[in-house]
Amino acid sequence: SLVEPSPPPSQPPSMPCRLPLAPSPPCVADAVKNFLAVLLASELTVTVGVPQLSPLQLQACAHALLQAVNAVPSPEGFRAPDGMKVTRAFGLSLLSAPGHWEAVVSTSLRREGAIEGLGCFLHAFGRSFVDGVVEPHEVELGELVWAADFSVALHERGSRRRVRAQEHAGSARAAAAASGRSTEHAHDELRHLVQAQLGAH
């Protein structure tokens, strides 16, 4: 589980209560695994700007990213427990700390030995949690990469896409039907006009 900064202690409730446990958000290492799964299994690979790399190349990019996260000094308040890597102890809150993601990217790109597509890989991963104006596909990417349960998020994404496809098909059928009715009405009007003209002669 993630080691996130703890909130101030509060007084326990007077009556015991049992609440369902919420799934923990993914650590950085798990989020990178989710990102790899998305790139390997969907059309989002091209959409987010990552070139068509082989699985081994994508794994090399992911390894370079995780190495850099562990190498860059963590911001204040993000100290991993002894024996635990930073990428296993913290998640999105770490990468979102001011200036930290930029330092990770810089460290990744300065490593010895060029890795094809690494710059695009880092840019696309960063867009999964960037603040500000984002594209719809980047929102969808972030929902998958930083999902508490990747399988559930993937299933929900598939369900939404099927619903959109059905709605689009229904709209297309309605438009075709309306067009057919309009064409039939125009033919009727033309037929009546021709008959009227013929009757006048």
Side-chain angles (χ1 to χ4, degrees):
S1 60
L2 301 185
V3 183
E4 300 292 359
S6 301
S10 57
Q11 295 295 327
S14 56
M15 294 294 292
C17 60
R18 189 182 301 272
L19 298 176
L21 294 176
S24 298
C27 62
V28 174
D30 288 340
V32 172
K33 287 182 180 179
N34 292 345
F35 184 57
L36 281 178
V38 172
L39 294 182
L40 290 170
S42 80
E43 72 286 354
L44 280 177
T45 302
V46 177
T47 306
V48 300
V50 178
Q52 293 285 354
L53 302 177
S54 69
L56 288 178
Q57 290 172 318
L58 289 173
Q59 289 176 7
C61 291
H63 184 64
L65 168 56
L66 294 175
Q67 278 188 326
V69 175
N70 286 319
V72 172
S74 298
E76 184 178 355
F78 292 91
R79 181 177 179 180
D82 293 339
M84 179 180 287
K85 293 183 178 180
V86 173
T87 50
R88 284 291 178 186
F90 302 106
L92 181 57
S93 58
L94 171 67
L95 299 186
S96 300
H100 191 66
W101 173 245
E102 290 76 10
V104 168
V105 171
S106 177
T107 300
S108 299
L109 296 177
R110 287 201 313 265
R111 69 187 307 276
E112 294 183 6
I115 298 178
E116 182 180 356
L118 179 58
C120 295
F121 183 94
L122 295 172
H123 175 75
F125 184 78
R127 297 299 292 178
S128 73
F129 61 89
V130 69
D131 289 331
V133 179
V134 294
E135 298 294 332
H137 67 265
E138 293 170 336
V139 175
E140 184 178 38
L141 176 66
E143 291 173 348
L144 291 173
V145 171
W146 297 100
D149 189 318
F150 180 76
S151 298
V152 171
L154 192 62
H155 175 75
E156 291 176 349
R157 172 179 178 261
S159 298
R160 289 195 300 269
R161 290 170 67 87
R162 285 191 294 271
V163 169
R164 288 198 298 267
Q166 292 172 355
E167 291 175 349
H168 179 73
S171 298
R173 286 194 298 268
S179 176
R181 288 193 297 270
S182 298
T183 302
E184 183 178 356
H185 180 67
H187 286 170
D188 287 341
E189 288 185 343
L190 180 61
R191 186 172 61 252
H192 290 319
L193 178 62
V194 171
Q195 289 175 348
Q197 290 177 345
L198 290 176
H201 289 285

